[in-house]
Amino acid sequence: MTLYTSTVVTPKPRSRRWAKLGSGIGYALGFPLLLLVIWGVWSSFATTPFFPSPLVIAEAFVETWIGPALVSDVLPSLGRLVVGAALSIVVGIVAGLVIGLTRWLSELLEPTLEFFRAIPPPVLIPIVAVLLGPTDSMKIVVIVAGSLWPVLLNTIDGVRATDSVMTETARSFALTPGERIRYLVLPAASPRIMTGVRQALSIALILMVISEMFYSSSGLGYRIVFFQRNYLIAEMWSGILLLGLIGVLLATIFGFVERRVLRWYHGIKEVERA
């Protein structure tokens, strides 16, 4: 038995969907292209070597990252990012469900959670490095330590905000705790959970770079600092460009997953707007 049902939305004509897709692509690419043009014109007149032209950065990008660095630096960084983000999401959702469903546990842990949430994760790097050494585990722990909190706290808030009428309905139907979590609590909390996941992905990417800037001899963060210290300016900018592209890829993947998970929620919003 499902308490949250899907909302049927009348599909839009194909021509309108293609027009909307084309306008979306135009808006997505128009402003970045404008920035590239402005950067190119400005760099051609600037005398400083610290802002090379987009063509020079693109050439450095191909030479730097399309080759051995892809295997030695990019893929390990992405692996740590994926593992750290996945652990943050799983642990955050599970712990958030337990804490949100248990009132006394929530009241007991709330001050402690707020305390640890307020600690900037980068300050934990020296401590974690002493305990685990300059290993991949250290970098993953740093990622989890920072990106866990948005998922955890949003899950707790989402569980607490579950509609009381729906909760009483679930009790009247004598649903088991597992069925109540699956058919009521998780669907009700999923919009806030996905908001937390979006924030966690951004934080995980930032912490991946920061953790590699310390106690590391490989990875994107290490390479960017290496290029900066050796005045390889175009290569440094190419690393920053690569991080931006990784962020765009994460946002695209998240958007696809969110539309699948929250299909019922977006359907309700479209009906309300109509």
Side-chain angles (χ1 to χ4, degrees):
M1 175 184 177
T2 304
L3 297 180
Y4 279 81
T5 57
S6 300
T7 302
V8 178
V9 181
T10 304
K12 298 179 180 180
R14 181 172 298 182
S15 59
R16 289 181 59 188
R17 282 185 293 178
W18 280 109
K20 184 177 180 180
L21 177 62
S23 62
I25 294 175
Y27 281 120
L29 297 180
F31 189 64
L33 290 176
L34 177 61
L35 289 179
L36 287 176
V37 172
I38 295 175
W39 182 297
V41 173
W42 180 74
S43 63
S44 63
F45 292 99
T47 57
T48 174
F50 298 108
F51 296 95
S53 69
L55 294 178
V56 174
I57 296 175
E59 183 179 355
F61 183 92
V62 174
E63 294 178 353
T64 303
W65 304 111
I66 309 300
L70 179 65
V71 178
S72 62
D73 295 305
V74 179
L75 294 183
S77 294
L78 291 178
R80 290 188 286 266
L81 173 64
V82 171
V83 173
L87 287 175
S88 301
I89 294 170
V90 173
V91 174
I93 293 176
V94 173
L97 286 173
V98 174
I99 296 172
L101 291 172
T102 311
R103 182 177 296 275
W104 67 267
L105 185 61
S106 176
E107 295 176 354
L108 175 66
L109 294 179
E110 184 172 0
T112 305
L113 294 177
E114 290 297 330
F115 172 79
F116 283 106
R117 182 184 68 88
I119 298 177
V123 304
L124 299 176
I125 293 178
I127 300 174
V128 179
V130 170
L131 296 175
L132 300 178
T135 61
D136 288 346
S137 299
M138 181 271 290
K139 301 178 182 69
I140 293 173
V141 168
V142 171
I143 294 173
V144 174
S147 56
L148 168 69
W149 302 106
V151 183
L152 175 63
L153 297 178
N154 276 277
T155 302
I156 294 174
D157 291 340
V159 172
R160 288 176 177 174
T162 303
D163 186 80
S164 59
V165 176
M166 301 299 294
T167 301
E168 293 298 326
T169 303
R171 290 175 180 171
S172 66
F173 279 97
L175 296 182
T176 64
E179 291 173 336
R180 187 158 65 95
I181 292 174
R182 178 181 178 183
Y183 296 116
L184 173 62
V185 176
L186 277 178
S190 57
R192 298 196 182 187
I193 292 175
M194 297 306 290
T195 300
V197 172
R198 180 190 294 274
Q199 297 171 356
L201 291 176
S202 300
I203 295 173
L205 180 60
I206 295 171
L207 292 176
M208 178 202 77
V209 178
I210 295 177
S211 65
E212 292 173 351
M213 290 180 174
F214 303 94
Y215 310 105
S216 182
S217 59
S218 64
L220 282 170
Y222 166 78
R223 284 296 171 188
I224 291 175
V225 172
F226 174 83
F227 293 145
Q228 179 262 331
R229 290 174 178 173
N230 290 275
Y231 294 96
L232 300 172
I233 305 303
E235 288 77 5
M236 180 192 71
W237 279 109
S238 71
I240 297 173
L241 174 62
L242 179 58
L243 286 175
L245 293 176
I246 293 174
V248 172
L249 177 62
L250 287 177
T252 302
I253 295 174
F254 173 81
F256 174 78
V257 174
E258 183 191 35
R259 285 192 296 271
R260 301 283 295 180
V261 173
L262 300 181
R263 182 183 300 173
W264 63 272
Y265 180 76
H266 293 302
I268 292 175
K269 291 298 182 182
E270 289 187 11
V271 171
E272 291 177 350
R273 286 195 294 265

